[in-house]
Amino acid sequence: MIDGKTVLFSGMQATGSVLQLGNYLGALKNWVTLSKEYESFFSVVDLHSITIRQEAAALRSGARNILMLYIAAGLDPEKACIYYQSHVPAHSELAWILNCFTYMGELNRMTQFKDKSAKHEANLNAGLYTYPILQAADILLYQADLVPIGKDQKQHIELCRDIAQRFNAIYGDVFTVPEAYFGKAGAKIQSLQEPEKKMSKSDENINASIFLMDDRDTIIRKFKKAVTDNFAEIKYDPENQPGISNLLDIYTLFSGKSIEETVAHFQGGGYGDFKLAVGEAVADGLKPLQERYNELKADKEYIDKIIKNNAEKASYVANKTLRKVKKKIGFPELIR
Ligand code: TRP
């Protein structure tokens, strides 16, 4: 809580490539709705990005693209605090402190660490291991009550809660203990090429993902190529027909129609016509976001101002928590 208001915090990684449809439907779209109700902080978590080797220019442009997409998707940067994690040194500082309040046994249990370390054997750095501690620092600095995330982040939020409770038990009520918030629809968008797998912006097959800035023809072409099945029946059955079910999910999220209505509407038709309709609905649905993004991209001054103002706003809140933490721990007071 800040000044009696419920606080929401979330973040996305800047990985050099632009966001894909799953990030939009699973996260951004929900953030826009939630930000109307809560005091919100949305960070571009570039400190997290370097747990995997990044090319400098790509990281810089990728981070800025994501920040602009947050706004293009409908977040109001005058209301929600949209900022780069690396602009607020308090994140790194609190992360170090929380390192000393987290057990290796806890980190060893993190399934994301296990997955990532298998994938990045050649660069098994300590940051990959302590990643969830930095995430806990992100959340706790802002006294966040709610953290909208995908299911894959559930374990990290549980760890964050454990760390906060442990700290509070020693030093008194310093941190708000946050809760994970799972959006209803759209939290799970699957790959168009391997529908049993989550759509991921790092997928090597470019036809597997729809990127938010893909043009209309590209979007329609990717949907036409989407992998389905040979049941020749449009039916919502994620278990046996994951491809068609994923397309139905995507279509309903853009058309606002229910799965039942959609199934009834396309019943008896071929997969080809249905895929085309999904592609068109997505292309139409993304058009306003794409137009807004291009406007923002052309207005460097405006974006720079947003970045500066919000870094100040975030720092103000974060530093307040950090000062309290340092005092409780017993670090000598800074004499000004
Ligand atoms: N780890 C999150 C992810 O990969 C990103 C993230 C970093 C985050 N810090 C956060 C999400 C704080 C919520 C709150 O999706």
Side-chain angles (χ1 to χ4, degrees), residues 269-329:
Y271 283 1
D273 289 345
F274 175 54
K275 286 181 181 177
L276 177 64
V278 181
E280 285 175 341
V282 173
D284 291 344
L286 289 180
K287 202 166 162 231
L289 177 150
Q290 296 180 339
E291 285 172 354
R292 180 86 181 105
Y293 179 87
N294 287 327
E295 282 167 23
L296 293 169
K297 199 161 181 163
D299 198 346
K300 183 172 179 304
E301 232 169 283
Y302 172 72
I303 294 295
D304 286 346
K305 201 177 104 237
I306 297 282
I307 290 173
K308 179 168 178 286
N309 291 348
N310 280 328
E312 281 168 13
K313 188 173 159 191
S315 298
Y316 176 80
V317 177
N319 287 335
K320 209 167 148 182
T321 301
L322 186 63
R323 276 196 303 276
K324 195 166 172 189
V325 167
K326 287 180 170 175
K327 194 170 169 195
K328 293 278 187 185
I329 288 182

Side-chain angles (χ1 to χ4, degrees), residues 9-13 45 48 112 131 135 138-139 147-149 153 156:
F9 186 98
S10 200
M12 261 183 218
Q13 287 214 40
V45 292
H48 278 107
Q112 186 169 302
Y131 177 114
Q135 185 166 350
D138 296 344
I139 298 164
V147 186
I149 42 156
Q153 295 297 311
H156 288 170

Side-chain angles (χ1 to χ4, degrees), residues 2 8 17 108 185 192:
I2 299 176
L8 193 121
S17 61
N108 288 338
L192 297 185

Side-chain angles (χ1 to χ4, degrees), residues 41-273:
F41 295 85
F42 297 110
S43 188
V44 175
V45 292
D46 48 1
L47 298 174
H48 278 107
S49 300
I50 64 163
T51 52
I52 290 162
R53 201 69 74 224
Q54 303 290 334
E55 205 252 303
L59 177 62
R60 195 173 297 122
S61 68
R64 192 169 171 107
N65 289 346
I66 289 182
L67 189 127
M68 288 190 290
L69 276 170
Y70 281 8
I71 304 170
L75 291 174
D76 176 357
E78 309 282 342
K79 273 195 73 209
C81 185
I82 293 170
Y83 73 100
Y84 294 126
Q85 187 188 30
S86 65
H87 279 184
V88 183
H91 288 256
S92 310
E93 277 194 75
L94 183 62
W96 167 255
I97 294 171
L98 297 182
N99 261 293
C100 306
F101 292 86
T102 308
Y103 297 111
M104 292 181 61
E106 292 178 306
L107 295 177
N108 288 338
R109 284 198 291 276
M110 295 294 122
T111 55
Q112 186 169 302
F113 171 69
K114 289 184 210 167
D115 294 348
K116 282 198 184 168
S117 46
K119 249 169 87 186
H120 302 280
E121 259 181 4
N123 180 21
L124 247 188
N125 63 76
L128 213 48
Y129 186 61
T130 57
Y131 177 114
I133 305 181
L134 177 60
Q135 185 166 350
D138 296 344
I139 298 164
L140 300 179
L141 276 174
Y142 299 90
Q143 306 291 348
D145 301 274
L146 289 178
V147 186
I149 42 156
K151 287 268 183 289
D152 64 328
Q153 295 297 311
K154 191 165 173 257
Q155 211 186 16
H156 288 170
I157 306 305
E158 279 161 11
L159 176 64
C160 174
R161 288 170 57 87
D162 289 342
I163 298 171
Q165 279 161 345
R166 182 171 305 143
F167 196 94
N168 286 351
I170 306 172
Y171 297 107
D173 271 341
V174 177
F175 296 127
T176 302
V177 181
E179 304 233 2
Y181 177 97
F182 301 105
K184 291 158 266 355
K188 228 170 133 246
I189 300 298
Q190 305 294 94
S191 154
L192 297 185
Q193 289 297 313
E194 293 167 83
E196 44 299 308
K197 238 176 65 181
K198 201 171 130 173
M199 187 184 283
S200 158
K201 59 188 166 192
S202 49
D203 204 309
E204 270 150 38
N205 185 343
I206 54 158
N207 288 320
S209 311
I210 300 291
F211 294 101
L212 296 184
M213 295 308 292
D214 278 350
D215 62 32
R216 187 177 186 85
D217 291 346
T218 306
I219 294 174
I220 290 175
R221 180 168 36 81
K222 286 182 180 176
F223 276 103
K224 278 190 185 156
K225 285 193 183 148
V227 168
T228 49
D229 52 58
N230 45 27
F231 291 104
E233 192 189 359
I234 295 173
K235 191 172 146 202
Y236 193 74
D237 181 358
E239 192 71 10
N240 300 307
Q241 294 185 246
I244 286 293
S245 303
N246 188 37
L247 295 180
L248 281 165
D249 274 329
I250 295 172
Y251 185 81
T252 59
L253 287 162
F254 278 98
S255 65
K257 297 198 182 99
S258 69
I259 298 270
E260 295 73 36
E261 275 175 273
T262 309
V263 169
H265 182 80
F266 289 101
Q267 202 61 260
Y271 283 1
D273 289 345

